[in-house]
Amino acid sequence: MPDQDRIDGAAKNIGGKAKELAGKITGDEKLKAEGKADQAAGKIQNAVGGLKDTLRGDKRS
């Protein structure tokens, strides 16, 4: 099973994309920036989870 950080990171990335899109549609630059920040945080969290999986020897990514 993938590390929880990978799952949470992927969810945060998807949420960030949705937030960024909402910001683009509404013209809300703050919301758009928050979405981009959430995506970056999600990608980092996902990478940390992937590293944990690798260190555990979990090949099912």
Tab-separated table of all heavy atoms in Angstrom:
chain	number	residue	atom	x	y	z
A	1	MET	N	0.848	-1.176	0.000
A	1	MET	CA	0.000	0.000	0.000
A	1	MET	C	0.893	1.239	0.000
A	1	MET	O	1.863	1.300	0.734
A	1	MET	CB	-0.902	-0.028	1.224
A	1	MET	CG	-1.736	1.206	1.376
A	1	MET	SD	-3.008	0.951	2.608
A	1	MET	CE	-4.315	1.786	1.804
A	2	PRO	N	0.550	2.250	-0.807
A	2	PRO	CA	1.347	3.477	-0.847
A	2	PRO	C	1.323	4.192	0.502
A	2	PRO	O	0.361	4.110	1.248
A	2	PRO	CB	0.667	4.330	-1.908
A	2	PRO	CG	-0.263	3.452	-2.633
A	2	PRO	CD	-0.547	2.283	-1.757
A	3	ASP	N	2.382	4.923	0.760
A	3	ASP	CA	2.471	5.711	1.973
A	3	ASP	C	1.355	6.755	1.991
A	3	ASP	O	0.960	7.282	0.942
A	3	ASP	CB	3.844	6.403	2.013
A	3	ASP	CG	4.073	7.122	3.310
A	3	ASP	OD1	4.477	6.457	4.270
A	3	ASP	OD2	3.823	8.336	3.369
A	4	GLN	N	0.842	7.064	3.185
A	4	GLN	CA	-0.245	8.032	3.328
A	4	GLN	C	0.151	9.409	2.782
A	4	GLN	O	-0.685	10.134	2.258
A	4	GLN	CB	-0.671	8.152	4.795
A	4	GLN	CG	-1.920	8.986	5.008
A	4	GLN	CD	-3.162	8.406	4.358
A	4	GLN	OE1	-3.360	7.193	4.358
A	4	GLN	NE2	-3.988	9.259	3.777
A	5	ASP	N	1.444	9.757	2.876
A	5	ASP	CA	1.889	11.039	2.326
A	5	ASP	C	1.670	11.104	0.820
A	5	ASP	O	1.363	12.169	0.276
A	5	ASP	CB	3.373	11.280	2.635
A	5	ASP	CG	3.597	11.793	4.041
A	5	ASP	OD1	2.768	12.579	4.518
A	5	ASP	OD2	4.596	11.406	4.661
A	6	ARG	N	1.811	9.985	0.138
A	6	ARG	CA	1.580	9.979	-1.318
A	6	ARG	C	0.111	10.242	-1.614
A	6	ARG	O	-0.239	11.000	-2.528
A	6	ARG	CB	1.998	8.642	-1.926
A	6	ARG	CG	3.510	8.470	-1.898
A	6	ARG	CD	3.938	7.282	-2.643
A	6	ARG	NE	3.956	7.648	-4.059
A	6	ARG	CZ	4.284	6.825	-5.021
A	6	ARG	NH1	4.631	5.592	-4.759
A	6	ARG	NH2	4.280	7.220	-6.271
A	7	ILE	N	-0.754	9.623	-0.837
A	7	ILE	CA	-2.198	9.794	-1.031
A	7	ILE	C	-2.611	11.233	-0.721
A	7	ILE	O	-3.293	11.888	-1.509
A	7	ILE	CB	-2.969	8.792	-0.160
A	7	ILE	CG1	-2.659	7.362	-0.625
A	7	ILE	CG2	-4.470	9.067	-0.192
A	7	ILE	CD1	-3.072	6.284	0.340
A	8	ASP	N	-2.156	11.731	0.442
A	8	ASP	CA	-2.500	13.093	0.843
A	8	ASP	C	-1.905	14.119	-0.113
A	8	ASP	O	-2.547	15.122	-0.439
A	8	ASP	CB	-2.006	13.369	2.263
A	8	ASP	CG	-2.725	12.548	3.323
A	8	ASP	OD1	-3.801	11.985	3.022
A	8	ASP	OD2	-2.199	12.457	4.452
A	9	GLY	N	-0.686	13.880	-0.563
A	9	GLY	CA	-0.040	14.797	-1.498
A	9	GLY	C	-0.773	14.871	-2.819
A	9	GLY	O	-0.949	15.952	-3.391
A	10	ALA	N	-1.205	13.723	-3.308
A	10	ALA	CA	-1.950	13.704	-4.574
A	10	ALA	C	-3.275	14.453	-4.419
A	10	ALA	O	-3.674	15.219	-5.314
A	10	ALA	CB	-2.195	12.265	-5.023
A	11	ALA	N	-3.934	14.260	-3.287
A	11	ALA	CA	-5.206	14.957	-3.042
A	11	ALA	C	-4.980	16.464	-2.952
A	11	ALA	O	-5.764	17.256	-3.495
A	11	ALA	CB	-5.844	14.433	-1.760
A	12	LYS	N	-3.905	16.875	-2.279
A	12	LYS	CA	-3.602	18.304	-2.138
A	12	LYS	C	-3.284	18.907	-3.501
A	12	LYS	O	-3.690	20.028	-3.806
A	12	LYS	CB	-2.416	18.480	-1.191
A	12	LYS	CG	-2.184	19.913	-0.764
A	12	LYS	CD	-1.047	20.013	0.238
A	12	LYS	CE	-1.437	19.400	1.556
A	12	LYS	NZ	-0.405	19.592	2.596
A	13	ASN	N	-2.580	18.158	-4.337
A	13	ASN	CA	-2.247	18.624	-5.683
A	13	ASN	C	-3.518	18.831	-6.506
A	13	ASN	O	-3.683	19.860	-7.168
A	13	ASN	CB	-1.309	17.619	-6.356
A	13	ASN	CG	-0.774	18.103	-7.677
A	13	ASN	OD1	-0.829	19.272	-8.004
A	13	ASN	ND2	-0.252	17.186	-8.466
A	14	ILE	N	-4.427	17.872	-6.455
A	14	ILE	CA	-5.684	17.978	-7.207
A	14	ILE	C	-6.520	19.153	-6.690
A	14	ILE	O	-7.065	19.931	-7.465
A	14	ILE	CB	-6.477	16.656	-7.126
A	14	ILE	CG1	-5.728	15.572	-7.911
A	14	ILE	CG2	-7.897	16.829	-7.653
A	14	ILE	CD1	-6.258	14.170	-7.696
A	15	GLY	N	-6.587	19.288	-5.364
A	15	GLY	CA	-7.321	20.414	-4.786
A	15	GLY	C	-6.715	21.744	-5.192
A	15	GLY	O	-7.431	22.719	-5.448
A	16	GLY	N	-5.396	21.791	-5.248
A	16	GLY	CA	-4.713	23.010	-5.666
A	16	GLY	C	-5.008	23.372	-7.105
A	16	GLY	O	-5.177	24.543	-7.451
A	17	LYS	N	-5.092	22.357	-7.962
A	17	LYS	CA	-5.426	22.612	-9.369
A	17	LYS	C	-6.833	23.195	-9.482
A	17	LYS	O	-7.067	24.121	-10.255
A	17	LYS	CB	-5.323	21.323	-10.190
A	17	LYS	CG	-3.890	20.903	-10.438
A	17	LYS	CD	-3.819	19.644	-11.265
A	17	LYS	CE	-2.354	19.244	-11.447
A	17	LYS	NZ	-2.201	18.093	-12.314
A	18	ALA	N	-7.754	22.637	-8.687
A	18	ALA	CA	-9.128	23.137	-8.703
A	18	ALA	C	-9.183	24.578	-8.189
A	18	ALA	O	-9.869	25.435	-8.760
A	18	ALA	CB	-10.025	22.243	-7.855
A	19	LYS	N	-8.420	24.854	-7.127
A	19	LYS	CA	-8.395	26.200	-6.557
A	19	LYS	C	-7.783	27.193	-7.547
A	19	LYS	O	-8.286	28.301	-7.714
A	19	LYS	CB	-7.584	26.185	-5.258
A	19	LYS	CG	-7.740	27.431	-4.429
A	19	LYS	CD	-6.858	27.389	-3.188
A	19	LYS	CE	-7.468	26.615	-2.070
A	19	LYS	NZ	-6.696	26.779	-0.800
A	20	GLU	N	-6.724	26.776	-8.222
A	20	GLU	CA	-6.098	27.644	-9.215
A	20	GLU	C	-7.077	27.946	-10.354
A	20	GLU	O	-7.207	29.091	-10.801
A	20	GLU	CB	-4.835	27.010	-9.782
A	20	GLU	CG	-4.138	27.879	-10.803
A	20	GLU	CD	-2.942	27.220	-11.469
A	20	GLU	OE1	-2.713	26.015	-11.261
A	20	GLU	OE2	-2.238	27.922	-12.206
A	21	LEU	N	-7.778	26.930	-10.814
A	21	LEU	CA	-8.749	27.118	-11.890
A	21	LEU	C	-9.867	28.060	-11.447
A	21	LEU	O	-10.265	28.960	-12.203
A	21	LEU	CB	-9.335	25.770	-12.329
A	21	LEU	CG	-10.377	25.814	-13.435
A	21	LEU	CD1	-9.798	26.428	-14.704
A	21	LEU	CD2	-10.905	24.423	-13.715
A	22	ALA	N	-10.351	27.879	-10.223
A	22	ALA	CA	-11.398	28.766	-9.713
A	22	ALA	C	-10.890	30.203	-9.666
A	22	ALA	O	-11.627	31.145	-9.998
A	22	ALA	CB	-11.842	28.308	-8.324
A	23	GLY	N	-9.644	30.377	-9.276
A	23	GLY	CA	-9.064	31.717	-9.251
A	23	GLY	C	-8.965	32.328	-10.634
A	23	GLY	O	-9.200	33.528	-10.817
A	24	LYS	N	-8.599	31.496	-11.617
A	24	LYS	CA	-8.526	31.989	-12.998
A	24	LYS	C	-9.905	32.403	-13.497
A	24	LYS	O	-10.055	33.451	-14.139
A	24	LYS	CB	-7.960	30.907	-13.919
A	24	LYS	CG	-6.469	30.723	-13.809
A	24	LYS	CD	-5.989	29.641	-14.769
A	24	LYS	CE	-4.499	29.401	-14.639
A	24	LYS	NZ	-4.036	28.333	-15.531
A	25	ILE	N	-10.904	31.582	-13.213
A	25	ILE	CA	-12.264	31.849	-13.697
A	25	ILE	C	-12.835	33.111	-13.072
A	25	ILE	O	-13.460	33.924	-13.751
A	25	ILE	CB	-13.183	30.631	-13.420
A	25	ILE	CG1	-12.772	29.463	-14.315
A	25	ILE	CG2	-14.652	30.987	-13.631
A	25	ILE	CD1	-13.448	28.144	-13.976
A	26	THR	N	-12.599	33.281	-11.774
A	26	THR	CA	-13.173	34.432	-11.063
A	26	THR	C	-12.280	35.667	-11.108
A	26	THR	O	-12.690	36.738	-10.676
A	26	THR	CB	-13.435	34.073	-9.591
A	26	THR	OG1	-12.189	33.739	-8.958
A	26	THR	CG2	-14.413	32.915	-9.463
A	27	GLY	N	-11.055	35.499	-11.597
A	27	GLY	CA	-10.135	36.624	-11.623
A	27	GLY	C	-9.519	36.915	-10.259
A	27	GLY	O	-8.967	37.982	-10.039
A	28	ASP	N	-9.620	35.963	-9.356
A	28	ASP	CA	-9.087	36.122	-7.993
A	28	ASP	C	-7.633	35.661	-7.965
A	28	ASP	O	-7.344	34.466	-7.911
A	28	ASP	CB	-9.946	35.300	-7.021
A	28	ASP	CG	-9.572	35.493	-5.567
A	28	ASP	OD1	-8.418	35.873	-5.276
A	28	ASP	OD2	-10.441	35.235	-4.712
A	29	GLU	N	-6.723	36.624	-8.019
A	29	GLU	CA	-5.291	36.296	-8.077
A	29	GLU	C	-4.803	35.615	-6.803
A	29	GLU	O	-3.927	34.761	-6.852
A	29	GLU	CB	-4.470	37.562	-8.347
A	29	GLU	CG	-4.651	38.103	-9.753
A	29	GLU	CD	-4.225	37.119	-10.840
A	29	GLU	OE1	-3.165	36.469	-10.701
A	29	GLU	OE2	-4.956	36.985	-11.837
A	30	LYS	N	-5.380	35.975	-5.658
A	30	LYS	CA	-4.977	35.365	-4.386
A	30	LYS	C	-5.349	33.872	-4.390
A	30	LYS	O	-4.550	33.018	-4.008
A	30	LYS	CB	-5.643	36.073	-3.219
A	30	LYS	CG	-5.216	35.522	-1.875
A	30	LYS	CD	-5.858	36.260	-0.728
A	30	LYS	CE	-5.425	35.605	0.571
A	30	LYS	NZ	-6.420	35.695	1.607
A	31	LEU	N	-6.558	33.568	-4.820
A	31	LEU	CA	-7.008	32.179	-4.881
A	31	LEU	C	-6.157	31.378	-5.860
A	31	LEU	O	-5.774	30.243	-5.584
A	31	LEU	CB	-8.484	32.123	-5.282
A	31	LEU	CG	-9.164	30.763	-5.243
A	31	LEU	CD1	-9.156	30.196	-3.829
A	31	LEU	CD2	-10.608	30.887	-5.743
A	32	LYS	N	-5.840	31.995	-6.980
A	32	LYS	CA	-4.993	31.348	-7.986
A	32	LYS	C	-3.614	31.039	-7.408
A	32	LYS	O	-3.090	29.934	-7.576
A	32	LYS	CB	-4.877	32.276	-9.203
A	32	LYS	CG	-4.268	31.650	-10.420
A	32	LYS	CD	-4.506	32.574	-11.613
A	32	LYS	CE	-3.217	33.007	-12.230
A	32	LYS	NZ	-3.368	33.871	-13.385
A	33	ALA	N	-3.038	31.988	-6.688
A	33	ALA	CA	-1.724	31.790	-6.069
A	33	ALA	C	-1.780	30.707	-4.992
A	33	ALA	O	-0.866	29.883	-4.877
A	33	ALA	CB	-1.223	33.094	-5.479
A	34	GLU	N	-2.858	30.701	-4.208
A	34	GLU	CA	-3.018	29.661	-3.185
A	34	GLU	C	-3.092	28.284	-3.834
A	34	GLU	O	-2.538	27.306	-3.317
A	34	GLU	CB	-4.283	29.904	-2.363
A	34	GLU	CG	-4.182	31.054	-1.400
A	34	GLU	CD	-5.501	31.351	-0.697
A	34	GLU	OE1	-6.484	30.617	-0.895
A	34	GLU	OE2	-5.543	32.342	0.052
A	35	GLY	N	-3.772	28.195	-4.957
A	35	GLY	CA	-3.877	26.928	-5.677
A	35	GLY	C	-2.516	26.438	-6.136
A	35	GLY	O	-2.188	25.259	-6.014
A	36	LYS	N	-1.709	27.351	-6.653
A	36	LYS	CA	-0.362	26.979	-7.093
A	36	LYS	C	0.486	26.528	-5.913
A	36	LYS	O	1.252	25.568	-6.012
A	36	LYS	CB	0.307	28.145	-7.826
A	36	LYS	CG	-0.261	28.387	-9.203
A	36	LYS	CD	0.483	29.498	-9.920
A	36	LYS	CE	-0.097	29.700	-11.313
A	36	LYS	NZ	0.682	30.651	-12.089
A	37	ALA	N	0.353	27.219	-4.780
A	37	ALA	CA	1.102	26.845	-3.579
A	37	ALA	C	0.668	25.469	-3.079
A	37	ALA	O	1.501	24.641	-2.682
A	37	ALA	CB	0.912	27.891	-2.488
A	38	ASP	N	-0.633	25.208	-3.096
A	38	ASP	CA	-1.145	23.895	-2.677
A	38	ASP	C	-0.608	22.789	-3.584
A	38	ASP	O	-0.261	21.703	-3.116
A	38	ASP	CB	-2.675	23.870	-2.692
A	38	ASP	CG	-3.297	24.674	-1.563
A	38	ASP	OD1	-2.558	25.118	-0.655
A	38	ASP	OD2	-4.534	24.864	-1.590
A	39	GLN	N	-0.543	23.074	-4.873
A	39	GLN	CA	-0.011	22.083	-5.812
A	39	GLN	C	1.446	21.774	-5.501
A	39	GLN	O	1.850	20.607	-5.488
A	39	GLN	CB	-0.129	22.588	-7.245
A	39	GLN	CG	-1.539	22.593	-7.786
A	39	GLN	CD	-1.596	23.187	-9.170
A	39	GLN	OE1	-1.033	22.632	-10.105
A	39	GLN	NE2	-2.262	24.319	-9.316
A	40	ALA	N	2.220	22.802	-5.242
A	40	ALA	CA	3.634	22.599	-4.929
A	40	ALA	C	3.795	21.782	-3.652
A	40	ALA	O	4.599	20.845	-3.598
A	40	ALA	CB	4.343	23.940	-4.791
A	41	ALA	N	3.013	22.123	-2.634
A	41	ALA	CA	3.073	21.383	-1.369
A	41	ALA	C	2.656	19.932	-1.582
A	41	ALA	O	3.255	19.010	-1.014
A	41	ALA	CB	2.181	22.049	-0.326
A	42	GLY	N	1.646	19.719	-2.397
A	42	GLY	CA	1.186	18.360	-2.680
A	42	GLY	C	2.237	17.540	-3.401
A	42	GLY	O	2.430	16.361	-3.104
A	43	LYS	N	2.931	18.164	-4.333
A	43	LYS	CA	3.978	17.452	-5.072
A	43	LYS	C	5.123	17.064	-4.140
A	43	LYS	O	5.664	15.957	-4.238
A	43	LYS	CB	4.491	18.310	-6.227
A	43	LYS	CG	3.507	18.420	-7.368
A	43	LYS	CD	4.000	19.348	-8.462
A	43	LYS	CE	2.937	19.513	-9.539
A	43	LYS	NZ	3.354	20.454	-10.580
A	44	ILE	N	5.480	17.966	-3.231
A	44	ILE	CA	6.540	17.661	-2.272
A	44	ILE	C	6.112	16.535	-1.348
A	44	ILE	O	6.869	15.589	-1.108
A	44	ILE	CB	6.925	18.930	-1.474
A	44	ILE	CG1	7.619	19.927	-2.400
A	44	ILE	CG2	7.803	18.576	-0.275
A	44	ILE	CD1	7.779	21.310	-1.807
A	45	GLN	N	4.894	16.613	-0.833
A	45	GLN	CA	4.396	15.579	0.072
A	45	GLN	C	4.338	14.230	-0.645
A	45	GLN	O	4.686	13.200	-0.072
A	45	GLN	CB	3.017	15.971	0.603
A	45	GLN	CG	2.507	15.053	1.698
A	45	GLN	CD	1.224	15.561	2.323
A	45	GLN	OE1	0.608	16.507	1.841
A	45	GLN	NE2	0.820	14.935	3.401
A	46	ASN	N	3.922	14.238	-1.901
A	46	ASN	CA	3.868	13.007	-2.682
A	46	ASN	C	5.268	12.434	-2.862
A	46	ASN	O	5.474	11.225	-2.753
A	46	ASN	CB	3.212	13.297	-4.037
A	46	ASN	CG	2.900	12.053	-4.816
A	46	ASN	OD1	3.765	11.207	-5.032
A	46	ASN	ND2	1.666	11.931	-5.262
A	47	ALA	N	6.238	13.295	-3.118
A	47	ALA	CA	7.619	12.837	-3.292
A	47	ALA	C	8.171	12.233	-2.001
A	47	ALA	O	8.862	11.208	-2.028
A	47	ALA	CB	8.500	13.991	-3.752
A	48	VAL	N	7.835	12.853	-0.866
A	48	VAL	CA	8.261	12.313	0.431
A	48	VAL	C	7.669	10.922	0.633
A	48	VAL	O	8.355	9.990	1.055
A	48	VAL	CB	7.859	13.264	1.580
A	48	VAL	CG1	8.024	12.592	2.936
A	48	VAL	CG2	8.670	14.542	1.529
A	49	GLY	N	6.398	10.771	0.302
A	49	GLY	CA	5.758	9.465	0.414
A	49	GLY	C	6.404	8.440	-0.500
A	49	GLY	O	6.575	7.280	-0.131
A	50	GLY	N	6.777	8.870	-1.700
A	50	GLY	CA	7.449	7.962	-2.631
A	50	GLY	C	8.797	7.519	-2.090
A	50	GLY	O	9.183	6.352	-2.229
A	51	LEU	N	9.508	8.444	-1.468
A	51	LEU	CA	10.792	8.104	-0.863
A	51	LEU	C	10.601	7.101	0.269
A	51	LEU	O	11.352	6.129	0.384
A	51	LEU	CB	11.475	9.374	-0.353
A	51	LEU	CG	12.825	9.188	0.322
A	51	LEU	CD1	13.825	8.546	-0.636
A	51	LEU	CD2	13.349	10.519	0.806
A	52	LYS	N	9.573	7.323	1.084
A	52	LYS	CA	9.286	6.385	2.172
A	52	LYS	C	8.979	4.997	1.606
A	52	LYS	O	9.438	3.987	2.137
A	52	LYS	CB	8.105	6.866	3.005
A	52	LYS	CG	8.413	8.042	3.891
A	52	LYS	CD	7.159	8.437	4.655
A	52	LYS	CE	7.338	9.629	5.534
A	52	LYS	NZ	6.072	10.001	6.209
A	53	ASP	N	8.184	4.957	0.534
A	53	ASP	CA	7.867	3.673	-0.106
A	53	ASP	C	9.145	2.989	-0.586
A	53	ASP	O	9.318	1.787	-0.410
A	53	ASP	CB	6.918	3.868	-1.294
A	53	ASP	CG	5.485	4.144	-0.882
A	53	ASP	OD1	5.138	3.904	0.289
A	53	ASP	OD2	4.707	4.606	-1.739
A	54	THR	N	10.024	3.771	-1.207
A	54	THR	CA	11.280	3.222	-1.714
A	54	THR	C	12.130	2.674	-0.573
A	54	THR	O	12.683	1.569	-0.678
A	54	THR	CB	12.066	4.297	-2.483
A	54	THR	OG1	11.263	4.734	-3.583
A	54	THR	CG2	13.381	3.758	-3.000
A	55	LEU	N	12.227	3.425	0.506
A	55	LEU	CA	13.024	2.982	1.648
A	55	LEU	C	12.444	1.728	2.294
A	55	LEU	O	13.195	0.899	2.822
A	55	LEU	CB	13.131	4.103	2.692
A	55	LEU	CG	13.942	5.322	2.238
A	55	LEU	CD1	13.852	6.424	3.275
A	55	LEU	CD2	15.392	4.939	1.966
A	56	ARG	N	11.128	1.572	2.237
A	56	ARG	CA	10.485	0.368	2.768
A	56	ARG	C	10.570	-0.798	1.790
A	56	ARG	O	10.260	-1.914	2.131
A	56	ARG	CB	9.007	0.641	3.059
A	56	ARG	CG	8.736	1.260	4.389
A	56	ARG	CD	7.278	1.093	4.794
A	56	ARG	NE	6.355	1.487	3.743
A	56	ARG	CZ	5.766	2.674	3.644
A	56	ARG	NH1	6.014	3.590	4.529
A	56	ARG	NH2	4.943	2.934	2.664
A	57	GLY	N	10.918	-0.497	0.553
A	57	GLY	CA	11.000	-1.535	-0.459
A	57	GLY	C	9.666	-1.824	-1.126
A	57	GLY	O	9.483	-2.847	-1.764
A	58	ASP	N	8.723	-0.913	-1.005
A	58	ASP	CA	7.399	-1.068	-1.631
A	58	ASP	C	7.526	-0.713	-3.102
A	58	ASP	O	7.691	0.441	-3.456
A	58	ASP	CB	6.383	-0.157	-0.946
A	58	ASP	CG	4.953	-0.380	-1.434
A	58	ASP	OD1	4.759	-1.145	-2.388
A	58	ASP	OD2	4.057	0.216	-0.836
A	59	LYS	N	7.445	-1.687	-3.983
A	59	LYS	CA	7.626	-1.468	-5.419
A	59	LYS	C	6.305	-1.157	-6.125
A	59	LYS	O	6.270	-0.944	-7.314
A	59	LYS	CB	8.258	-2.702	-6.080
A	59	LYS	CG	9.591	-3.091	-5.453
A	59	LYS	CD	10.626	-2.021	-5.620
A	59	LYS	CE	11.935	-2.489	-5.073
A	59	LYS	NZ	12.778	-1.451	-4.582
A	60	ARG	N	5.195	-1.170	-5.398
A	60	ARG	CA	3.888	-0.948	-6.024
A	60	ARG	C	3.534	0.530	-5.994
A	60	ARG	O	2.701	0.972	-5.240
A	60	ARG	CB	2.790	-1.713	-5.282
A	60	ARG	CG	2.988	-3.198	-5.323
A	60	ARG	CD	2.053	-3.876	-4.377
A	60	ARG	NE	2.530	-3.600	-3.013
A	60	ARG	CZ	1.773	-3.604	-1.933
A	60	ARG	NH1	0.505	-3.846	-2.004
A	60	ARG	NH2	2.282	-3.350	-0.739
A	61	SER	N	4.132	1.344	-6.848
A	61	SER	CA	3.818	2.771	-6.857
A	61	SER	C	2.904	3.113	-7.980
A	61	SER	O	2.829	2.545	-8.975
A	61	SER	CB	5.041	3.634	-6.963
A	61	SER	OG	6.232	2.986	-7.029
